[in-house]
Amino acid sequence: MYYAEIKNFDVANGPGVRVSLFVSGCPHACPGCFNEIAWNYRYGAPFTEEVEEELLSALAREEIQGLSLLGGEPLVPVNLHGLLPFLRKVKARLPKKDIWSYSGYTYEELMSRRRRKRWKSFSPILRCW
């Protein structure tokens, strides 16, 4: 998985002050998208364990309410596989921090897709929230 940008002090993408992770890769190509550059799945930098630790440190600050996932599309399978281990770390280390995800999928699409074989990894993501 690749990420396009990290904002360590973000007040525009969810309630309170947040850390925002913009992942790379999006299949939607929505007209008027504000982040077209992140449609490419290889845009930006690899999402490594070092990046995860930097995010966890930023999230641990008292003034940070939680984590926002944006994109690109956080909820495509390639990004789900990259995010799930990280989200488990977030909830284990910082259980009071909330997690928001902005997606181009509707709730109904996600519920339908999680029943499909290739989206089996989606169910644990819901439990992280």
Side-chain angles (χ1 to χ4, degrees), residues 21-66:
L21 171 63
F22 292 77
V23 300
S24 295
C26 183
H28 304 300
C30 298
C33 175
F34 77 96
N35 204 12
E36 284 185 38
I37 197 159
W39 291 357
N40 181 331
Y41 286 86
R42 294 277 186 182
Y43 176 75
F47 189 69
T48 63
E49 287 186 33
E50 292 78 19
V51 173
E52 288 184 8
E53 289 303 320
E54 289 173 22
L55 285 165
L56 287 163
S57 291
L59 280 165
R61 294 189 329 250
E62 187 177 326
E63 68 272 17
I64 300 297
Q65 180 172 328

Side-chain angles (χ1 to χ4, degrees), residues 25 33 37 43 46 70 83 87-88 90 103-104 112 122 127:
C33 175
I37 197 159
Y43 176 75
L70 305 96
L83 288 171
L87 295 176
R88 286 183 174 140
V90 171
S103 174
S112 170
F122 181 73
R127 287 190 287 275

